[in-house]
Amino acid sequence: MAARKVYASSENALADVFSGATLLIGGISQYGIPKTLINALADKDISELVCVFSPCSEFGAFPLTALDPLLKRGQISRLITAFPFYQNTGSLIESQWSSGNLSIEVIPQGLLSEKLRAGGAGLGGVFTPVGIGTSWSTRYETQEIDGRQCLFLEALRGDFALVRAQQSDNLGNLIYKGMERNWGPVMAMAADITIAEVTDIYDAGDLDPELIITPGIFVNRLIQSGQS
Amino acid sequence: MLEDKERLPREVVAMRVAKELPDGGYVNLGIGIPTLVSTFVSDESMVFYHSESGVLNCGPLADEDSQDIDLINAGGQFLATVPGMAFFSSVDGFAMIRGGHVDVTVLGAHQVSAKGDLANWMLPERGVGNIGGAMDLAAGAKQVIVAMEHTDRTNNSKIVDECTFPITGKECVSLIVTDVAVMEPTHEGLVLKEIAPGWDVDEVQSITLAHLIITDDVKEYEL
Amino acid sequence: MLDKKVLSLDELAFKVAREIRPGNVVAVGHGMADVIGKRLSSAPDAWIIDGYGGLISTHGASKSSKDKQGSSFHGVSDVASIMHGGHVDIAIVEAGEITASGDIVSLSTLSTAGLLAPGWSVDLLDNPRRVIAVAKHFNSMGESVLKSNCTVNPDGIGCVDMIITDIAVLEIGDNGFVLKELVDGWDIDDLTADGSIHIESSQSITDGEVDKEEETELSKLYDTGVAAMSDLPDGATVMIDGFAGPGGMPHYLLVSLRDHGAKELTIIGNTAGIARVVNFGTPAGKQAIDHTLLIDNGQVSKAVASYPVSPSASRPTAFELAYRRGDVELELVPQGTLAERLRSGGAGISAFFTPTGVGTLIAEGKQSRIIKGKEYILEKGLRADFCIIRGYKADKLGNVIYKGTSRNFNPVMAPAADITIVEVDEVVEVGTLEPDEIVTPGIYIDRIVIRPKDFSPYE
């Protein structure tokens, strides 16, 4: 009975992902990418997805990104990221963006994180002085708080979050491995439905409660995936 | 005298509330009658308890000989270790509450208004009170159920048209379960849903300061 | 130009490492900055935070230990808190353009076809004590990184302190660029093709060979609680952890604070001392030490709390009696709002909109706003001069783990005070705690005190 969060396949876990949905996709560079779920999403007949994924490729790195399976099928219409591509390296994001098929909203990485955290924590938004004085001040509402100019960052949430963890129990409690943690905890909070792909799924009680990073209350569905 | 008329014991109120907890849901229980609710959740139903002391999936209380000051619930009671617990900080605990991740909270109250305003943090005569996690739960939980006695110790109705005590949250209560009735605050007013065995509608109204909307489908308390 | 010597990444990293002092928190950005960050092991006892969420301690690295002991792993949101919250001593960013007034465009921003996508750069450049820009001096078009003006909107304004390129080290002085070091074979006139850029030459241009400083051992460990708070002044704001009961409460430090005697304190905590009166979370027959100690000693003038008084009016706490006498002020804050205000204080958030308290007394006098159809009120970040918290174990770098529900406000408060003192049962060797297990990283802990073995938290 406790296994009801555990889904037999990615297809089942992603069954209700719809065209136009906002997806929060965890992972940076090769760390913590929910590859199995992304590949399964590419097999679905859905499009017009809004994806939050950041950065899209490690700076200066080979142009492939974890989103390529979705980009190849033209499933993404809008991308929210702190770093979309390194120009002239042949990235699919750059070509789809320059041909007008993909819109890109750029947000500095830490500010994007605060917007998602606000969404996950039930805040309407936060004021921060970060970015004041730069051109970012002109892109956001500003207000003086206790004598200091601040930007307003409105909360951001997703319909779905796709994250990757190393271990979970069947209640959805997640443990990440090293640098794979990155976006997992904050994205898992900030979506209506959070789906985690996990290398090892244990019974409740097999994980040390002190080591759990994302408590199961933030996780709706689990799939087992052997990626290393 | 209706003051002396037999009312349902606290356990039965808790039992009635237990029926409302969704299978697979995350639930936060306040102090008092709400604490008793977990005892009456059916074995087939899976309910996960959240405590703002910083633990998820908490369950029964600890035996007297295994009390651990590092394992308590929000009421300061010692918890037993159960499989699948997770510990977290206060900021994460309240992110869960405000972020809409807690499906139901069951709270006690000093007063509830017909529109669902909740007053449970301060009695004006004391001049000072404790908010604790109540305002966050009132504002953040997807559903707020109040479980309480219908009247206070001096027989004043705790159900009122407008709260006279300082409120904890506005129009946040979706269901009130007392020792004589089950009521649903709506924009139109307070709808009487169920009454305790042996009570009639007029009797319930006569000890209730808010006007009750009576429909044809008022039932006897369903357990 | 092509045949002249340029510095390798290792040589560049060496020059960056020279700038790092023991205990410094160094945040590295993308590209070359990230590569250099991985080569800073010669910087003694520093913390290197990267954009992936690794908080790498270089402790022991100079002793050629490969597994960077004392390191911990964090999420993106924790990294953002470290950067925005003013916890970074040195930020290292790969520059695309730098001006003589210290404006900078990071290379990532410049390399995104006009989208000006900064990655972490804006976050990195916001709040560090020092910014070191690293760069290849000339890009593939042969253009110098030193500019008279940025060609696009800068990621940071007037924030660069030092520039380390593959041919030169410069500082930003009052009159612009000051050349400090130049690689052999290069001339000052090579540094920029633009004649309008003036570069002042420092008296002592070297080719970069410097004497190694002696390493100093930093210790966060104090012998007693009183010694750890000797500089806590009258009138200080002090955060005191604890949910309500003895679990997670720094009893020994509370006694130390009483013995220290500072007056006119503002205390911030979930309660203002209720455990003693109502035995909250306390084993039967025991009476826990709590904030009452400070109230009775006349040290408190104000409390900020969510659950300040006894749940029972007939059993008033020392705080409630003092409040009725008018001896102390009270700022009542809902518990989740308190937690969020503390997090904000540590994470560089000035204020936030929360739904908690809308329509109640708490909302009076506060800005409100409807966002996507829901009403919120504005609450502000909260910081303190000192913070006393209770951990279970710490290592000597100050990495802390907690036990069960005694975690509560501890990790939230630790980043939100200028000086954070932790009371632990045990201090373990660096490397004993697993990097995935550490809850509060050592960058947030200034002082460590071991609760004496014979100390009782009960009266």
Side-chain angles (χ1 to χ4, degrees):
Chain A
M1 186 173 63
R4 66 183 65 173
K5 283 189 181 177
V6 182
Y7 282 61
S9 70
S10 304
E11 292 69 32
N12 292 344
L14 294 166
D16 53 352
V17 179
F18 51 91
S19 289
T22 297
L23 307 180
L24 314 179
I25 300 180
I28 295 179
S29 190
Q30 73 268 42
Y31 304 109
I33 304 283
K35 281 185 205 159
T36 311
L37 288 168
I38 292 172
N39 286 330
L41 210 54
D43 291 338
K44 275 179 73 79
D45 191 21
I46 50 169
S47 59
E48 302 291 312
L49 297 174
V50 177
C51 290
V52 180
F53 183 67
S54 187
C56 291
S57 87
E58 206 25 49
F59 181 74
F62 199 62
L64 297 180
T65 88
L67 299 185
D68 283 358
L70 306 175
L71 291 162
K72 278 181 190 148
R73 294 204 49 221
Q75 289 173 294
I76 305 178
S77 64
R78 186 155 164 261
L79 187 60
I80 300 174
T81 186
F83 189 80
F85 55 79
Y86 182 58
Q87 64 193 14
N88 305 324
T89 56
S91 116
L92 277 176
I93 295 175
E94 183 174 10
S95 61
Q96 294 190 4
W97 170 70
S98 36
S99 64
N101 294 321
L102 176 67
S103 78
I104 296 176
E105 180 183 352
V106 170
I107 305 176
Q109 183 92 335
L111 302 188
L112 175 58
S113 155
E114 280 299 347
K115 282 169 75 77
L116 288 170
R117 189 189 171 280
L123 306 177
V126 302
F127 286 98
T128 175
V130 175
I132 285 291
T134 72
S135 64
W136 294 96
S137 330
T138 61
R139 303 195 205 182
Y140 292 97
E141 172 194 338
T142 60
Q143 185 178 319
E144 193 176 295
I145 307 276
D146 293 336
R148 205 165 170 201
Q149 274 306 116
C150 290
L151 302 180
F152 180 60
L153 302 171
E154 192 172 299
L156 177 64
R157 286 182 59 88
D159 299 303
F160 297 88
L162 313 184
V163 304
R164 161 157 182 79
Q166 181 70 20
Q167 297 175 311
S168 79
D169 60 19
N170 50 23
L171 304 180
N173 293 308
L174 303 183
I175 294 176
Y176 305 89
K177 186 180 178 191
M179 294 203 281
E180 290 192 352
R181 189 182 302 188
N182 58 64
W183 284 106
V186 70
M187 285 185 169
M189 288 167 77
D192 292 348
I193 300 288
T194 291
I195 310 168
E197 82 175 61
V198 184
T199 306
D200 297 306
I201 301 177
Y202 296 89
D203 287 336
D206 289 352
L207 301 180
D208 179 349
E210 301 283 2
L211 300 186
I212 287 156
I213 301 298
T214 295
I217 192 169
F218 295 130
V219 179
N220 305 84
R221 301 170 192 170
L222 299 163
I223 63 145
Q224 195 277 328
S225 161
Q227 77 157 280
S228 58
Chain B
M1 286 296 285
L2 284 173
E3 283 94 55
D4 300 326
K5 184 165 172 138
E6 194 183 348
R7 302 184 185 190
L8 296 169
R10 293 153 60 90
E11 287 72 17
V12 178
V13 176
M15 206 182 293
R16 175 63 189 82
V17 172
K19 262 187 59 187
E20 297 293 320
L21 305 188
D23 187 23
Y26 288 90
V27 174
N28 182 297
L29 300 178
I31 299 165
I33 297 175
T35 308
L36 302 172
V37 170
S38 64
T39 323
F40 300 103
V41 173
S42 99
D43 286 343
E44 280 108 69
S45 173
M46 220 167 133
V47 173
F48 304 106
Y49 297 99
H50 166 279
S51 171
E52 59 266 44
S53 62
V55 57
L56 193 66
N57 305 340
C58 51
L61 301 182
D63 299 334
E64 222 160 274
D65 53 357
S66 58
Q67 294 181 343
D68 178 358
I69 63 162
D70 298 317
L71 190 53
I72 60 165
N73 65 19
Q77 296 167 302
F78 297 102
L79 293 169
T81 309
V82 295
M85 281 178 153
F87 299 126
F88 45 81
S89 73
S90 299
V91 78
D92 292 339
F94 282 91
M96 293 170 190
I97 293 171
R98 277 190 323 261
H101 307 284
V102 172
D103 298 296
V104 180
T105 185
V106 186
L107 300 171
H110 298 319
Q111 285 181 334
V112 184
S113 82
K115 283 185 177 164
D117 294 355
L118 168 69
N120 73 351
W121 72 271
M122 184 167 97
L123 293 168
E125 72 255 25
R126 188 172 174 193
V128 63
N130 292 317
I131 297 175
M135 280 191 186
D136 297 283
L137 285 162
K142 283 188 203 153
Q143 201 190 347
V144 179
I145 298 176
V146 166
M148 63 177 187
E149 277 96 18
H150 204 91
T151 53
D152 69 13
R153 282 176 204 161
T154 47
N155 296 318
N156 297 309
S157 170
K158 295 169 79 168
I159 295 155
V160 292
D161 277 320
E162 293 289 341
C163 292
T164 53
F165 299 163
I167 67 165
T168 310
K170 237 182 144 40
E171 296 182 17
C172 59
V173 177
S174 59
L175 196 70
I176 308 166
V177 181
T178 75
D179 46 6
V180 296
V182 178
M183 292 145 289
E184 194 180 306
T186 68
H187 287 298
E188 288 71 44
L190 194 59
V191 179
L192 182 64
K193 308 289 283 187
E194 297 169 28
I195 52 178
W199 286 72
D200 66 34
V201 168
D202 292 339
E203 287 172 332
V204 173
Q205 177 65 76
S206 73
I207 61 162
T208 306
L209 264 184
H211 171 71
L212 296 171
I213 298 172
I214 316 292
T215 62
D216 289 342
D217 49 0
V218 175
K219 300 177 187 132
E220 190 165 284
Y221 235 75
E222 289 196 325
L223 294 176
Chain C
M1 240 167 23
L2 289 172
D3 47 353
K4 290 188 195 174
K5 175 182 160 47
V6 295
L7 297 180
S8 68
L9 279 167
D10 282 328
E11 289 168 316
L12 240 152
F14 175 77
K15 288 187 187 297
V16 174
R18 256 181 1 201
E19 301 300 317
I20 300 170
R21 297 289 157 271
N24 276 178
V25 178
V26 182
V28 297
H30 309 263
M32 183 193 272
D34 185 51
V35 173
I36 287 173
K38 292 184 169 58
R39 295 167 196 239
L40 292 177
S41 51
S42 66
D45 282 333
W47 303 89
I48 316 294
I49 179 90
D50 64 30
Y52 301 96
L55 177 52
I56 308 302
S57 161
T58 63
H59 178 85
S62 54
K63 301 170 194 87
S64 74
S65 152
K66 271 202 155 179
D67 51 344
K68 306 188 169 72
Q69 295 186 338
S71 301
S72 53
F73 291 108
H74 303 277
V76 171
S77 136
D78 304 313
V79 177
S81 301
I82 293 171
M83 291 182 188
H84 299 169
H87 305 289
V88 174
D89 297 299
I90 300 176
I92 301 172
V93 175
E94 182 173 15
E97 299 179 342
I98 307 165
T99 70
S101 57
D103 294 355
I104 176 173
V105 181
S106 75
L107 189 58
S108 56
T109 297
L110 213 54
S111 309
T112 47
L115 275 168
L116 307 184
W120 278 110
S121 306
V122 171
D123 309 291
L124 276 162
L125 292 166
D126 179 69
N127 214 356
R129 285 171 191 86
R130 236 175 136 217
V131 172
I132 299 177
V134 294
K136 284 189 173 167
H137 205 97
F138 302 102
N139 67 13
S140 56
M141 320 274 282
E143 296 163 344
S144 168
V145 70
L146 309 181
K147 304 282 181 194
S148 49
N149 285 299
C150 292
T151 59
V152 300
N153 286 316
D155 296 312
I157 308 284
C159 62
V160 176
D161 299 283
M162 178 177 255
I163 304 152
I164 301 179
T165 76
D166 50 358
I167 64 170
V169 177
L170 301 101
E171 286 177 1
I172 304 279
D174 293 339
N175 301 313
F177 297 118
V178 181
L179 180 64
K180 305 301 279 189
E181 294 172 22
L182 193 58
V183 170
D184 277 344
W186 292 87
D187 187 82
I188 189 166
D189 294 331
D190 296 333
L191 294 177
T192 166
D194 185 342
S196 68
I197 301 178
H198 172 70
I199 300 180
E200 206 171 290
S201 179
S202 158
Q203 289 299 314
S204 56
I205 295 181
T206 68
D207 62 359
E209 294 305 315
V210 289
D211 300 329
K212 256 203 141 177
E213 279 179 55
E214 254 181 60
E215 287 185 26
T216 47
E217 186 86 9
L218 276 188
S219 178
K220 294 183 175 179
L221 201 55
Y222 284 69
D223 289 336
T224 66
V226 173
M229 55 183 73
S230 62
D231 53 348
L232 191 155
D234 286 355
T237 300
V238 185
M239 290 171 181
I240 302 171
D241 186 67
F243 183 74
M249 197 175 281
H251 301 101
Y252 172 62
L253 289 175
L254 274 170
V255 173
S256 305
L257 185 52
R258 182 206 51 199
D259 295 346
H260 171 67
K263 300 267 192 251
E264 302 292 322
L265 301 176
T266 295
I267 57 172
I268 300 172
N270 192 34
T271 81
I274 63 157
R276 202 171 168 280
V277 168
V278 295
N279 289 336
F280 186 101
T282 309
K286 310 258 187 174
Q287 206 165 32
I289 291 171
D290 66 14
H291 313 56
T292 302
L293 217 59
L294 306 177
I295 312 279
D296 283 346
N297 203 32
Q299 292 174 266
V300 177
S301 57
K302 183 181 174 186
V304 180
S306 94
Y307 206 98
V309 298
S310 159
S312 151
S314 59
R315 284 178 294 167
T317 62
F319 176 82
E320 185 172 352
L321 297 174
Y323 178 73
R324 293 192 187 292
R325 286 194 305 270
D327 293 346
V328 291
E329 283 178 65
L330 171 64
E331 181 180 342
L332 192 59
V333 183
Q335 199 169 26
T337 300
L338 179 63
E340 201 60 38
R341 291 182 66 190
L342 297 171
R343 183 207 174 250
S344 295
I349 301 297
S350 301
F352 55 89
F353 279 116
T354 178
T356 301
V358 167
T360 75
L361 288 176
I362 290 298
E364 282 182 8
K366 288 176 184 154
Q367 202 183 118
S368 75
R369 183 182 292 200
I370 311 268
I371 300 168
K372 291 183 181 144
K374 186 167 174 176
E375 189 175 353
Y376 297 85
I377 55 172
L378 192 70
E379 295 278 3
K380 289 177 184 170
L382 195 55
R383 285 189 61 84
D385 303 307
F386 281 78
C387 170
I388 56 176
I389 62 168
R390 171 91 171 108
Y392 170 40
K393 288 181 186 175
D395 68 20
K396 288 177 176 169
L397 300 177
N399 292 306
V400 179
I401 61 168
Y402 306 93
K403 219 174 172 181
T405 50
S406 291
R407 187 179 301 195
N408 53 63
F409 284 88
N410 287 293
V412 193
M413 287 178 170
D418 293 344
I419 300 289
T420 295
I421 312 171
V422 65
E423 166 185 342
V424 290
D425 285 354
E426 194 186 342
V427 172
V428 297
E429 286 304 318
V430 177
T432 312
L433 304 177
E434 289 293 327
D436 279 324
E437 150 187 53
I438 291 164
V439 177
T440 297
I443 60 169
Y444 292 136
I445 301 294
D446 301 284
R447 301 170 189 176
I448 308 167
V449 175
I450 301 173
R451 179 189 280 209
K453 288 271 178 290
D454 57 354
F455 177 85
S456 168
Y458 307 107
E459 287 176 345

